[in-house]
Amino acid sequence: MELIINKKGVFFISVAIVIITLLLTTYTVYTKVQERKIIQKRIETMNSFINSIEQDLERKLFIAGFRSLFTFENKIIETGAYIGNVNASFQEMFFNGTFNGQSQSIMIGATLNDILNDMQTLGNKIAINLTLKNAQANLDQIDPWNIRITLQGNFTIRDNSNLSSWDTILTATGIVPISYFDDPVYIINTGSLIVAKFNQTQYNSFDSLSLLDHTTKQYYKSSTQAPSFLNRFEGNLLVDSVYGIESLVDIQNLQSKGLQTQQKSIVDHIYFSESNPSSCHIAGMPSWFYLDNSNLADYNASCG
């Protein structure tokens, strides 16, 4: 009888152990599943945060680039002098909020520190910390009509609970069309009496009517024999660039402003420089309409 009771006790104990083991296993599996769900949720949150940051950076870099170039344009108007190194001046504006060592209020909210602080403020709302080390900024051109602002650095985003992190080499860009700005070449050479916006010509080819319209409306066309937008801000008029642009100077407009005029090629980077290559009057055009020989083909023009 006692043996039977002992056997029953062993059986119940065994069953209890199995049940407890199953419960522990189930709990462990459940816990791990829940942990995975939490981690997955945090990863999704971080991915969403990263995507929003990338989109926001494009906008913020546009703002930083626009405000910097706008400042340079105003400085040219104020001083009558070109910007020595546009990219270096942009970096000073972007990192320090200064131009030639002087604080620029226009850059409040648009410096790198401002941008990182805004990003961290957003990160704080979802318990995420971020850092950007070895940051580098650059301003250049991607084509004749657009300026590119690039930000690069070692970017780290880390969850406060250490559930997830993201480390990468950040490369973000913003694009600023040059059509927002005035040509400093005209500003300096006409004492700001003539303002020429960088408006791209609507003409793909020229005859006498379209050529005159192109000139009087101060349109610009691309030309690898001309200086780029950035070259113009630096006063490098005799530099050929793959991103070169040029307009034709409306001599009649200069005369109407009381400005002294010259008889030479009206291609702007030639007219407003010391260069004076051989040129001729263009057939069917006003008496002041001269082009140099190297530009005749580009404008479908002939001497006359």
Side-chain angles (χ1 to χ4, degrees):
M1 185 69 176
E2 183 178 346
L3 180 60
I4 294 173
I5 292 173
N6 288 338
K7 287 183 177 180
K8 288 183 177 179
V10 171
F11 172 76
F12 284 121
I13 290 172
S14 299
V15 172
I17 291 172
V18 171
I19 292 172
I20 291 171
T21 301
L22 288 173
L23 288 174
L24 289 174
T25 302
T26 302
Y27 175 77
T28 301
V29 172
Y30 175 79
T31 302
K32 289 183 177 180
V33 170
Q34 291 302 108
E35 287 178 352
R36 286 199 190 96
K37 287 183 178 179
I38 293 172
I39 293 173
Q40 183 62 35
K41 183 64 176 177
R42 290 303 290 167
I43 291 174
E44 290 175 357
T45 299
M46 289 186 70
N47 283 338
S48 178
F49 180 66
I50 291 166
N51 289 334
S52 65
I53 280 178
E54 290 175 343
Q55 294 176 8
D56 194 43
L57 271 176
E58 292 180 8
R59 182 181 66 85
K60 289 183 181 299
L61 290 176
F62 165 84
I63 292 172
F66 175 85
R67 291 184 183 182
S68 296
L69 290 168
F70 180 78
T71 299
F72 302 157
E73 183 179 286
N74 283 338
K75 294 300 180 182
I76 289 172
I77 294 172
E78 292 172 7
T79 65
Y82 293 107
I83 306 300
N85 186 319
V86 173
N87 188 35
S89 295
F90 163 72
Q91 291 177 18
E92 181 188 351
M93 293 278 283
F94 186 60
F95 288 115
N96 304 326
T98 62
F99 177 73
N100 289 341
Q102 296 183 340
S103 179
Q104 302 296 316
S105 60
I106 193 174
M107 291 302 290
I108 294 175
T111 65
L112 177 61
N113 284 337
D114 293 329
I115 292 172
L116 292 178
N117 288 337
D118 287 346
M119 290 164 57
Q120 185 59 67
T121 298
L122 294 175
N124 290 339
K125 296 179 181 179
I126 52 177
I128 287 177
N129 285 314
L130 56 89
T131 57
L132 180 64
K133 296 181 179 179
N134 303 318
Q136 297 179 339
N138 188 62
L139 184 149
D140 61 7
Q141 292 193 238
I142 56 173
D143 61 42
W145 310 106
N146 293 284
I147 299 300
R148 175 177 59 187
I149 297 89
T150 306
L151 174 64
Q152 292 182 316
N154 301 319
F155 195 47
T156 300
I157 297 179
R158 194 171 303 278
D159 183 87
N160 284 353
S161 58
N162 290 321
L163 288 174
S164 57
S165 64
W166 187 72
D167 297 276
T168 189
I169 302 298
L170 172 71
T171 301
T173 59
I175 304 298
V176 182
I178 69 171
S179 56
Y180 286 112
F181 305 102
D182 301 329
D183 191 342
V185 174
Y186 280 87
I187 292 173
I188 286 180
N189 287 282
T190 70
S192 298
L193 291 176
I194 294 177
V195 176
K197 287 284 185 186
F198 288 105
N199 294 323
Q200 187 173 356
T201 187
Q202 60 182 323
Y203 299 111
N204 294 318
S205 60
F206 296 99
D207 56 24
S208 58
L209 290 178
S210 60
L211 185 54
L212 187 59
D213 189 59
H214 169 90
T215 304
T216 57
K217 290 182 178 176
Q218 293 184 319
Y219 285 144
Y220 286 76
K221 79 173 190 68
S222 61
S223 170
T224 56
Q225 300 182 73
S228 68
F229 171 89
L230 294 180
N231 292 145
R232 288 168 178 270
F233 265 71
E234 295 174 346
N236 297 322
L237 300 188
L238 300 180
V239 174
D240 295 344
S241 171
V242 293
Y243 303 132
I245 51 174
E246 64 186 24
S247 69
L248 298 179
V249 180
D250 183 353
I251 300 299
Q252 191 170 334
N253 190 21
L254 266 63
Q255 292 171 342
S256 70
K257 304 294 184 182
L259 296 169
Q260 185 175 356
T261 60
Q262 309 174 69
Q263 183 177 295
K264 60 186 295 191
S265 174
I266 61 173
V267 177
D268 62 6
H269 54 94
I270 294 175
Y271 187 84
F272 290 124
S273 73
E274 296 178 355
S275 176
N276 191 11
S278 178
S279 62
C280 65
H281 173 258
I282 302 305
M285 303 303 287
S287 59
W288 48 264
F289 205 109
Y290 277 69
L291 289 178
D292 56 288
N293 295 335
S294 64
N295 276 291
L296 291 175
D298 284 351
Y299 291 98
N300 192 30
S302 57
C303 298

